[in-house]
Amino acid sequence: MTLILHHAWKSSASRRVRLFLEEKGLAWEGREVDLSRQQQHSPEYLAVNPLGVVPTLLHDGRPLHESGTICEYLDAVFPDPPLRPRDPYDLALMRNWVRHVDGQIGHLIRFNWRHSIQKRAEKMTDAELQAALERIPSAERRDVWQRVARRPYTEEELAESKAALLALLDQMEGMMAGGWLIGGAYSLADIAVAPFVKRVSEEIAPEALAPSARPGVAAWWAAVQSRPAYARARFDPFVDPA
Ligand SMILES: N[C@@H](CCC(=O)N[C@@H](CS)C(=O)NCC(=O)O)C(=O)O
């Protein structure tokens, strides 16, 4: 049995799958994809992931994309320890939560790409940029590449994204009755949002994670970080020290 993960160390969707794999105690091989060099848009990579994004899991050679789907698949194939609620209602809530978190990725991208893809994209000539855009399968990501290359996100747009991410934390605060987000047990619901919280905690709004600001989320975040799998999943600092 082989599990190969095409991923990027700083990608939130990749971090989600790494954390899930480590919680499961599964052995996996990594294949790093350099996003700023557009390796995710190479013909070889598009053959395993038509969306041209990371991560992609290959289980015994069979490719699967979408981090939430990958995690659910892994939980079905490797059920121990279970990382999805057994109760059908809680399972449905978990799926809606993961979908909701996925919908916030654009807000994270506005902060994240400034440190990575933007640095390379803004140096491209118009012809190079045009060629880069032609390789991107999704219209939405073409727009983002175009934006960071030529018209970086404004302070107003960053403030809007920060507000959306803080609203996510507020929602989490309201879900913390059982210590974890859904059904009183650690699950994909917690794992799915952990990479987002990591970015908020280190750059976007560290004060938002203070116990005085959101006691439930602060305790949750400490509990997530203290799990041995968290260190193994390597959520290293996003921004390299100057
Ligand atoms: N919904 C997808 C999102 C994947 C995604 O957006 N990946 C980002 C990194 S977190 C990526 O590959 N960005 C590079 C690009 O769009 O060019 C998932 O959860 O797998």
Side-chain angles (χ1 to χ4, degrees), residues 63-226:
L64 196 57
H65 60 270
E66 274 304 320
S67 59
T69 309
I70 295 170
C71 294
E72 286 226 39
Y73 171 77
L74 287 170
D75 203 54
V77 179
F78 306 101
D80 194 32
L83 290 172
R84 288 180 300 175
R86 282 181 57 186
D87 175 74
Y89 182 71
D90 282 346
L91 179 61
L93 289 182
M94 184 209 83
R95 289 195 170 128
N96 273 353
W97 172 250
V98 173
R99 184 186 292 214
H100 176 60
V101 173
D102 284 348
Q104 311 302 312
I105 189 82
H107 292 300
L108 214 51
I109 280 176
R110 287 181 179 180
F111 287 98
N112 289 357
W113 286 27
R114 297 188 301 171
H115 302 295
S116 53
I117 292 173
Q118 181 170 327
K119 290 207 161 92
R120 187 171 290 265
E122 64 193 2
K123 291 195 191 91
M124 290 175 172
T125 63
D126 286 349
E128 284 165 347
L129 179 61
Q130 195 50 41
L133 294 175
E134 280 166 16
R135 296 170 63 194
I136 302 175
S138 98
E140 180 226 316
R141 290 297 161 87
R142 269 197 299 277
D143 285 350
V144 185
W145 272 77
Q146 172 96 46
R147 277 299 308 267
V148 299
R150 292 295 182 261
R151 207 158 50 83
Y153 291 108
T154 62
E155 288 305 318
E156 221 170 41
E157 287 170 314
L158 291 174
E160 176 191 70
S161 289
K162 178 173 165 178
L165 294 166
L166 293 182
L168 191 67
L169 295 190
D170 287 336
Q171 268 179 295
M172 292 172 67
E173 188 67 21
M175 293 164 72
M176 286 301 172
W180 302 108
L181 287 171
I182 290 172
Y186 188 64
S187 76
L188 175 55
D190 305 285
I191 291 172
V193 76
F196 285 64
V197 175
K198 165 72 174 167
R199 289 294 291 127
V200 173
S201 78
E202 69 183 347
E203 185 193 21
I204 299 168
E207 69 288 353
L209 272 301
S212 55
R214 292 175 184 78
V217 178
W220 171 92
W221 182 226
V224 170
Q225 289 175 281
S226 69

Side-chain angles (χ1 to χ4, degrees), residues 2-6 21 27-31 56-62:
T2 59
L3 291 170
I4 295 177
L5 186 68
H6 292 266
L21 284 163
W28 57 280
E29 283 172 44
R31 301 274 188 281
T56 303
L57 180 79
L58 279 103
H59 179 201
D60 290 337
R62 293 199 301 179

